[in-house]
Amino acid sequence: MGQIIVMEELLSNKIAAGEVVERPASVVKELVENAIDAESTSIEIILEEAGLARIQVTDNGKGMDEEDAVQSFSRHATSKITTEHDLFRIRSLGFRGEALASIASVSKISLWTSDGENVGTKVELEGGRVLSCTPASIRRGTDIVVKQLFFNTPARLKYLKTIQTELGHSIDLINRLALSFPSIAFKLSNNNQTIIQTSGRGDLRQVLASIYGVSNVKKMIGFESESADFHITGYASLPEITRASKNYLTILVNGRWVKHYGLNNAIVDAYHTLLPIGRYPIVVLNIETDPMLTDVNVHPAKHQIRLSKEKELMELVKGTIRSVIHKVQQPPKVTEKPEVKKQPSVQFDFFKQTYQAPLQETIPKKDETEQPFIVHEEKEPLQEEVVVETYIEEKKPFPDLHVVGQIHGTYIVAQSDDGFYLIDQHAAQERIKYEFYKEKVGEVSASERQALLLPLTFHYSLDESYRIKESLEELENIGVYLEEFGSSSFVVREHPTWFPKGNETKIIESLIEQVLTNRKADIKKLREDAAIMMSCKLSIKANHYLTTKDMEQLLESLKNAQHPLTCPHGRPVIVHFTTYEVEKMFKRVM
Ligand code: ADP
Ligand code: MG
């Protein structure tokens, strides 16, 4: 006898819930996305105990009639797509028709809904079973309350994290949705405490300000550009604003917040050599494209996406952000009271603070991608209306600097009309040399070779020599001309003329090492790393006294650099003490 039977719907919903409903924030996500799809302009999310006790989402959208209100809880019930053809042209956030069924199967639900013209409907469910369906008020919109999430799946309940972590996930989510839909007013509260509130006036800068704080948003610049298939817009922070994780990158594709490793990297690449290692910018990137080029049906939670023409898009993103940042960058100004960054605390107390919808810089971090943001950066009170003025001036030419002197054999002091500057001499030289070598390594040419009087010999272990032999071409591309010499030795008889004199052996060894550790890296990356390595090795270190002439030359070369403000590792080269700030310090001005 056959042993295979078709599952009962309630059971299959519960199984689907395993993927769709991972935690309270997943319920919030599905309910709020439904509210957005229903064309709401105002959405309120009320949580109790981070949603573990109760989640309520109230919208002013188009509502449902009685038949749909009941039907919406069936598996594969959706009003959003009808044919396979639609699956490739999705504009709505939902389309799988399984969220409500899944959520209902693991909780107790009450739903009120009306189109605002006909009498409304109230539906009550428990564990996916409809308990009652009765008439209700005709207020336009939908109000849904989910109680006792996971009451019938104790194992799932056990895996939830602390209340704070769970709340952090919902805050993160609403922050992103608010950034995706500036024209919708969002309000999120937990245990009667308002956490996020946006005005819904359609101004992305205002939303950014209510999430990241006005002072950070003043240092974010707008960008916009397009290619044949993509139109991108957004805001990117200046390099002086950094964060410890990539959680502050928000990528939206046709209004949907998605996680995309490649695009994250394209954004971070735009800041290459402008940010210190391990620090990341704040960016909101909005991508508009033909839905045909996207596939959002990758994961039941719909936060992943596959993109066609990914390479074209990444180049566009990287190039646009880089050029806009380059245009407005200024030496960081020293202010009297430097912004003190608080250590992210392990526990954050929502109940004592008025929140300014902080983007949260986490609770102990294991997997960055999985953690919500939790920060205590700025505690400006919640503001109904945040006005952000445009602030960033077009880039001024690099200041005309006059050397005053040197301190600690490390920093050059220079002055100009608008105050004085400190320049880190090592960082400055690294930047200058890096740009020089980058150009040189980028175009290694035969005519620029110089013969050595005495050939240099290099010995390696057998396995290393084997790998080196496989990489001879790559090495040649960055200026290392090795000839095999016996089974595990190599000689070098010539090298590019721009190789730094007296350091040839050291440089060649480092380049070989770099190729061995970076195997399969593309040539661009090898050249890049080679330039960074040479610039760092050959730059004057701290505690090295320079003559006035040396310093003047250094500043002149810095002035001519393409990106004079940071070293190739992203640390600042120069800081500015404005006349005004200095006068303030001495109380000459108030
Ligand atoms: P999907 O969003 O993938 O269609 P759901 O299970 O999330 O599937 O929702 C099922 C259907 O219920 C939706 O297609 C929509 O027609 C209806 N619905 C759900 N929530 C709302 C809401 N807040 N307002 C109006 N209609 C809703
Ligand atoms: Mg949905």
Side-chain angles (χ1 to χ4, degrees):
M1 197 184 85
Q3 298 189 357
I4 301 176
I5 49 150
V6 174
M7 259 183 225
E8 185 208 338
E9 180 168 330
L10 281 184
L11 176 61
S12 68
N13 287 344
K14 221 164 153 179
I15 291 172
E19 288 171 308
V20 183
V21 193
E22 198 186 345
R23 53 178 12 127
S26 349
V27 174
V28 175
K29 176 173 192 284
E30 296 298 338
L31 299 183
V32 175
E33 286 188 352
N34 281 344
I36 295 170
D37 284 343
E39 295 159 21
S40 308
T41 56
S42 169
I43 302 173
E44 180 167 6
I45 305 101
I46 301 171
L47 306 180
E48 276 173 28
E49 304 301 318
L52 292 168
R54 188 172 184 277
I55 298 169
Q56 177 171 12
V57 175
T58 307
D59 69 45
N60 63 352
K62 62 185 178 194
M64 288 177 271
D65 64 15
E66 186 188 324
E67 191 189 336
D68 280 359
V70 175
Q71 180 71 2
S72 67
F73 292 99
S74 315
R75 186 95 185 278
H76 306 306
T78 181
S79 55
K80 298 168 193 170
I81 59 174
T82 45
T83 64
E84 195 181 322
H85 173 269
D86 299 339
L87 187 54
F88 301 101
R89 285 165 182 78
I90 293 167
R91 284 271 173 198
S92 55
L93 296 175
F95 56 90
R96 299 173 57 103
E98 61 186 353
L100 287 187
S102 303
I103 296 166
S105 73
V106 293
S107 67
K108 300 178 181 176
I109 289 189
S110 309
L111 170 118
W112 295 258
T113 186
S114 163
D115 61 5
E117 278 158 29
N118 299 294
V119 67
T121 307
K122 177 180 182 188
V123 185
E124 291 195 279
L125 301 98
E126 193 173 308
R129 272 176 229 283
V130 177
L131 301 180
S132 68
C133 175
T134 48
S137 120
I138 81 163
R139 184 197 75 86
R140 179 187 150 100
T142 301
D143 189 5
I144 181 162
V145 174
V146 175
K147 282 197 263 194
Q148 298 182 42
L149 183 63
F150 302 134
F151 81 98
N152 54 357
T153 52
R156 190 41 74 95
L157 206 52
K158 224 177 81 188
Y159 280 98
L160 292 178
K161 305 270 165 52
T162 60
I163 293 252
Q164 284 90 341
T165 306
E166 294 305 332
L167 183 56
H169 282 285
S170 286
I171 294 172
D172 182 18
L173 170 83
I174 300 300
N175 279 338
R176 316 276 192 169
L177 288 170
L179 290 171
S180 320
F181 297 94
S183 301
I184 298 178
F186 289 92
K187 184 172 175 188
L188 168 71
S189 62
N190 180 59
N191 296 355
N192 287 322
Q193 186 85 38
T194 302
I195 302 171
I196 300 173
Q197 188 160 14
T198 64
S199 72
R201 295 217 179 96
D203 179 355
L204 180 56
R205 287 183 70 78
Q206 246 184 41
V207 182
L208 281 166
S210 61
I211 294 175
Y212 300 104
V214 176
S215 61
N216 283 327
V217 177
K218 282 186 174 166
K219 294 192 168 148
M220 292 179 77
I221 31 176
F223 58 83
E224 172 161 17
S225 78
E226 60 187 353
S227 65
D229 302 289
F230 302 98
H231 179 229
I232 64 169
T233 54
Y235 286 91
S237 58
L238 289 178
E240 56 192 277
I241 302 285
T242 66
R243 291 293 177 272
S245 82
K246 291 185 192 162
N247 276 340
Y248 298 79
L249 308 181
T250 300
I251 297 171
L252 312 168
V253 178
N254 293 339
R256 180 191 305 276
W257 166 42
V258 295
K259 299 179 180 169
H260 196 284
Y261 180 78
L263 283 169
N264 271 355
N265 286 345
I267 295 173
V268 174
D269 272 356
Y271 288 81
H272 183 62
T273 78
L274 303 178
L275 299 184
I277 307 231
R279 303 294 298 181
Y280 303 92
I282 305 176
V283 172
V284 179
L285 167 65
N286 233 312
I287 301 163
E288 285 295 326
T289 184
D290 184 338
M292 285 286 280
L293 295 181
T294 70
D295 179 5
V296 284
N297 195 16
V298 180
H299 185 276
K302 301 163 289 176
H303 49 49
Q304 286 170 30
I305 193 162
R306 285 201 199 98
L307 294 163
S308 310
K309 313 208 180 181
E310 205 173 274
K311 222 169 164 194
E312 171 192 329
L313 178 58
M314 296 214 246
E315 286 301 316
L316 179 70
V317 167
K318 183 175 153 186
T320 306
I321 296 182
R322 189 158 186 92
S323 75
V324 85
I325 285 164
H326 180 50
K327 248 197 222 146
V328 297
Q329 226 193 329
Q330 303 277 340
K333 292 193 179 77
V334 176
T335 53
E336 193 184 5
K337 265 189 246 143
E339 241 178 84
V340 183
K341 260 222 200 89
K342 290 211 181 145
Q343 284 299 319
S345 52
V346 172
Q347 286 269 330
F348 61 95
D349 190 348
F350 278 95
F351 313 103
K352 287 194 198 120
Q353 298 162 6
T354 317
Y355 247 70
Q356 206 255 328
L359 260 212
Q360 324 290 350
E361 183 141 8
T362 14
I363 359 194
K365 220 174 245 168
K366 282 191 217 101
D367 175 5
E368 232 184 43
T369 55
E370 266 304 296
Q371 289 290 347
F373 321 115
I374 312 283
V375 203
H376 297 259
E377 287 185 38
E378 286 174 61
K379 282 176 206 97
E380 296 161 32
L382 267 179
Q383 282 166 314
E384 247 297 291
E385 185 174 355
V386 197
V387 182
V388 193
E389 289 151 32
T390 320
Y391 44 83
I392 296 164
E393 314 128 56
E394 272 286 295
K395 183 181 180 177
K396 293 191 198 111
F398 193 77
D400 249 328
L401 298 178
H402 303 281
V403 171
V404 176
Q406 189 193 27
I407 42 181
H408 302 311
T410 304
Y411 304 104
I412 298 169
V413 185
Q415 62 176 327
S416 136
D417 303 341
D418 57 354
F420 75 92
Y421 292 77
L422 282 182
I423 296 103
D424 179 329
Q425 67 192 36
H426 175 65
Q429 213 179 34
E430 260 187 294
R431 166 54 69 183
I432 296 160
K433 297 223 178 267
Y434 163 74
E435 291 189 4
F436 171 79
Y437 286 118
K438 194 172 165 201
E439 192 180 317
K440 289 298 182 190
V441 185
E443 45 181 56
V444 175
S445 77
S447 60
E448 275 189 296
R449 292 193 194 183
Q450 173 182 332
L452 282 155
L453 287 178
L454 291 173
L456 300 170
T457 314
F458 299 87
H459 305 283
Y460 284 90
S461 69
L462 265 178
D463 67 313
E464 278 173 330
S465 352
Y466 181 71
R467 284 157 56 205
I468 293 172
K469 284 175 198 168
E470 281 190 326
S471 311
L472 289 178
E473 201 186 314
E474 275 158 288
L475 283 160
E476 211 162 289
N477 278 330
I478 51 174
V480 177
Y481 311 118
L482 290 180
E483 282 172 36
E484 292 179 38
F485 191 71
S487 56
S488 57
S489 300
F490 301 86
V491 284
V492 169
R493 296 180 201 282
E494 51 179 5
H495 62 73
T497 45
W498 44 266
F499 257 35
K501 304 259 158 336
N503 283 296
E504 294 85 353
T505 309
K506 231 167 70 188
I507 290 293
I508 291 170
E509 276 170 355
S510 306
L511 289 172
I512 293 176
E513 191 187 307
Q514 190 197 309
V515 170
L516 288 183
T517 45
N518 267 331
R519 284 197 65 212
K520 297 215 177 75
D522 63 67
I523 182 68
K524 246 165 113 180
K525 171 143 179 38
L526 280 179
R527 287 178 166 158
E528 178 70 36
D529 291 351
I532 292 185
M533 186 271 293
M534 282 195 259
S535 62
C536 186
K537 281 232 156 82
L538 300 166
S539 295
I540 23 168
K541 301 286 180 214
N543 288 316
H544 181 97
Y545 287 87
L546 301 173
T547 64
T548 305
K549 201 158 167 245
D550 290 340
M551 292 190 269
E552 279 166 359
Q553 265 168 10
L554 188 66
L555 295 185
E556 185 57 29
S557 316
L558 187 63
K559 186 175 178 168
N560 293 325
Q562 224 187 337
H563 293 281
L565 304 182
T566 57
C567 79
H569 307 92
R571 289 188 296 271
V573 165
I574 180 166
V575 292
H576 182 188
F577 295 75
T578 63
T579 310
Y580 176 73
E581 284 300 336
V582 174
E583 288 184 341
K584 231 166 66 182
M585 286 178 207
F586 290 102
K587 309 278 182 241
R588 282 164 173 267
V589 291
M590 287 301 181

